[in-house]
């Protein structure tokens, strides 16, 4: 959706015209927060893949790249990062990922996702602050907003 124009004009008796930029500001705030979530997701995904590559048998394997995905939902304005194995355009689930994350009787607890997020909270705050501080400058904000959707599969 492109940037809405400031179209609400209210004229008063004394030839004073007020232009409302509320729609434009709401759009900018929403898109900047989505762009910040997308960058946080890319960063966390990259670190999770590095952690998964430390596991036995995963050093040169492509499986970690396909197993870790993220979704930035537009309507809900939230971020979901998770383990979901994709095969040629269809997404499935990795039923064993929950067992590896939380641990079971036969599977040790690995906490890849949880530890990655908890250890990088200051960096996540820094990324979010970088985007939300761009609200002061409209040109900078528009340059940071990426209209394209998508998830990077392989890096």
């Amino acid at each position: 959706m492109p940037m809405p124009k400031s179209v609400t004009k209210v004229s008063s008796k004394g030839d004073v015209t007020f232009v409302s930029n509320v729609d434009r500001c709401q759009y900018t705030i929403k898109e900047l927060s989505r762009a910040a979530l997308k960058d946080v997701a890319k960063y966390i995904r990259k670190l999770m893949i590095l952690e998964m590559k430390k596991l036995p048998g995963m050093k040169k394997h492509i499986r970690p790249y396909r197993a870790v995905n993220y979704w930035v939902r537009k309507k809900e304005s939230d971020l979901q990062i998770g383990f979901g194995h994709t095969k040629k355009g269809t997404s499935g689930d990795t039923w064993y990922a929950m067992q590896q994350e939380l641990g079971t009787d036969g599977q040790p607890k690995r906490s890849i996702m949880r530890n990655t997020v908890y250890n990088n909270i200051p960096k996540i705050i820094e990324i979010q602050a970088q985007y939300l501080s761009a609200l002061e400058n409209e040109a900078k904000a528009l340059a940071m907003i990426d209209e394209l959707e998508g998830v990077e599969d392989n890096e």
Side-chain angles (χ1 to χ4, degrees), residues 32-122:
L32 277 176
S33 63
R34 276 189 62 231
L37 289 173
K38 200 154 112 176
D39 271 6
V40 166
K42 287 178 186 177
Y43 178 72
I44 295 296
R45 179 180 183 265
K46 184 171 75 171
L47 294 177
M48 285 173 62
I49 289 171
L50 291 175
E51 285 296 315
M52 288 178 70
K53 285 195 165 274
K54 294 177 184 175
L55 296 175
M58 292 291 181
K59 189 171 187 173
K60 295 181 180 179
H61 211 282
I62 196 165
R63 188 176 285 165
Y65 292 102
R66 291 183 179 163
V68 180
N69 292 311
Y70 65 89
W71 301 267
V72 179
R73 299 189 303 178
K74 195 168 191 170
K75 274 187 181 176
E76 293 84 359
S77 290
D78 67 352
L79 167 66
Q80 293 182 346
I81 300 176
F83 297 103
H85 191 73
T86 58
K87 293 181 182 179
K88 297 184 182 179
T90 60
S91 67
D93 63 274
T94 51
W95 55 269
Y96 52 86
M98 183 179 69
Q99 294 174 355
Q100 290 179 348
E101 186 71 20
L102 303 175
T104 61
D105 293 339
Q107 183 74 26
K109 180 179 177 180
R110 294 207 166 92
S111 297
I112 294 172
M113 186 183 327
R114 184 180 195 144
N115 289 340
T116 303
V117 172
Y118 282 170
N119 294 338
N120 292 290
I121 287 177

